[in-house]
Each structure stands twice: as structure tokens, then as C-alpha cells.
Amino acid sequence: MTKTLAFVLYPGITPLDLVGPLQVLSALAQMDPSFEVVVVGRDLSPLGTDTPLKVTPSHTFDQVADPFALLVPGGTEPTLAALADESLLDWIRQAARTAEVVGSVCTGSLLLGAAGLLEGRKATTHWGVRDLLAKFGATPVAERWVQDGPVLTAAGVSAGIDMALHLVERLAGEQTARMVQLFIEYDPQPPLGGIDWRSVDLDSFKPHARAMVEAALADHPALLARLTT
């Protein structure tokens, strides 16, 4: 039986949240035809992102009712606004009921939280809004990715690639995961070196994060109050 790995698309996502793990899992599907990768949206219209790039779903929500894996990318203010999109949250809830893997990248985990899927679980997200996970009953952790039961959440943007390689190892074994890593030539060597998290002033971002939340949810006072009080 074909196992469907479904990425959720909605307006305003950060493209790398989607495309990074999508490329990893598409490589898995090329190596193992028992997997298929789809990108699902409300309809097949092209959707804007937080870059000039537009992205088009391959399938609609109605066409993919029970995926084997569900993965939700994140973004900035549009993702926060999507926390009030009940039709999107309803599909995520429905798909998660039977999915063996429920995953997210960056602020996509907040959508999992808003759908009620993180209660009592450890989870991560972009460092700038990690504290918001607690508003949905999750335990925030400062990790590149974290697995708690069927739920697999990744930190910001590029962390989705790491999470997806872990998922490939889980689904198809270490050798296949190493082949995928080699195939996409994932060998990070940033020109300025790695991030020294001990020197990062995380608190300086909090006013900006709060402003984004307030702007995104200005028309949803109850949800806004939940996230800011």
C-alpha cells in the first residue's frame, strides 16, 4: 500500500519550511515507490509566500483525507493569522486522526497546537515564538527537532531538513537516509560558522513577535488574548 506524505499549503508560508523537507522526502519517494509525496491545499490555486515565489498545491484537502504523514510548514504573520482559520485546522485535525506521523517546521507547530494536537507533548518551533507553544498545552524545548509520540516538530526554517532526514531514517533506515543526504548534498558549512546560541539575545525579539501576533489576530480577540496574556 502506498504511504502518502502530505505537506499542507496555505497562504504566506516560508518556502524553505516547505521545500527543504519536501525535497528530502521526494528523494525518499524516488528511491522507494511505496511512498508518495503530495502538497495539499484548499484548492489548486497558486498561493503566495513570504517571498516573491508562489506555490501551487498538487492535491486538494478533499483528495487527501487520510495521509500516512502530515507535515505543516510555518511562516511569519500569515501563519499566525492562520491560527484562526478553522477550515484549515479542521483538515489538520481530521488528517492527524489516522496519520502515523504528524510533523511541522518552524511556526507550523503553532498550527498543530491550535488544532489541539500538542497538549501534554514536547515541541519546538522558531526560537522567536517558542514560548507560545505553552499557550497550547505543549512543553517548549530548545532543540533542532523533537519527537513526542507521533508528533515530530522542527525548529526554524532550515531545521526542517534535519527533521526530514530523521524521518527518512525512521521510515526507511539509516542507509537510505544517508543516501538521501548525499543525493541532496546536504553538508552545511555556513560561511560565518554555526550560531553561538549563548550570545544570542532572544528577549530582544519578543516585542517584534508580540507585534506580529497582535497584527495577525486583531480580528480574533479571544485567540489574541490566549496568546498574549
Side-chain angles (χ1 to χ4, degrees):
M1 181 179 296
T2 301
K3 302 179 183 71
T4 300
L5 313 176
F7 287 82
V8 181
L9 189 58
Y10 57 91
I13 66 159
T14 295
L16 188 56
D17 283 11
L18 169 69
V19 176
L22 177 65
Q23 194 70 59
V24 171
L25 294 174
S26 293
L28 168 64
Q30 290 176 28
M31 296 177 184
D32 185 344
S34 68
F35 295 97
E36 69 168 350
V37 179
V38 300
V39 179
V40 296
R42 186 169 287 110
D43 55 43
L44 299 182
S45 302
L47 295 175
T49 68
D50 62 6
T51 75
L53 178 71
K54 289 188 175 181
V55 184
T56 303
S58 63
H59 293 71
T60 67
F61 290 150
D62 290 340
Q63 291 174 317
V64 184
D66 54 351
F68 174 84
L70 163 70
L71 297 114
V72 184
T76 52
E77 189 173 318
T79 297
L80 297 171
L83 298 177
D85 185 343
E86 281 302 321
S87 63
L88 174 62
L89 297 179
D90 281 345
W91 186 84
I92 291 173
R93 290 185 193 103
Q94 175 187 329
R97 289 192 187 104
T98 55
E100 293 195 22
V101 178
V102 178
S104 65
V105 181
C106 195
T107 51
S109 60
L110 299 180
L111 287 169
L112 297 184
L117 302 175
L118 296 185
E119 187 74 36
R121 298 189 185 278
K122 295 179 181 178
T124 192
T125 189
H126 189 280
W127 58 266
V129 292
R130 195 162 51 224
D131 59 319
L132 294 182
L133 288 169
K135 305 292 185 178
F136 297 112
T139 300
V141 295
E143 300 291 346
R144 187 75 169 162
W145 53 267
V146 60
Q147 184 171 331
D148 191 333
V151 178
L152 181 60
T153 55
V157 194
S158 63
I161 299 173
D162 294 3
M163 179 268 284
L165 284 168
H166 161 74
L167 182 55
V168 170
E169 181 182 12
R170 173 178 160 188
L171 296 177
E174 180 180 344
Q175 182 176 355
T176 299
R178 289 187 179 277
M179 284 298 299
V180 169
Q181 182 177 356
L182 177 62
F183 180 70
I184 66 171
E185 203 167 331
Y186 182 58
D187 186 21
Q189 300 177 45
L192 301 179
I195 298 172
D196 180 4
W197 290 102
R198 296 169 300 176
S199 66
V200 177
D201 182 4
L202 303 182
D203 289 340
S204 66
F205 188 77
K206 288 184 177 179
H208 178 63
R210 185 182 179 96
M212 282 200 302
V213 172
E214 291 175 345
L217 298 175
D219 295 331
H220 303 277
L223 182 55
L224 177 58
R226 180 181 182 183
L227 296 181
T228 56
T229 58

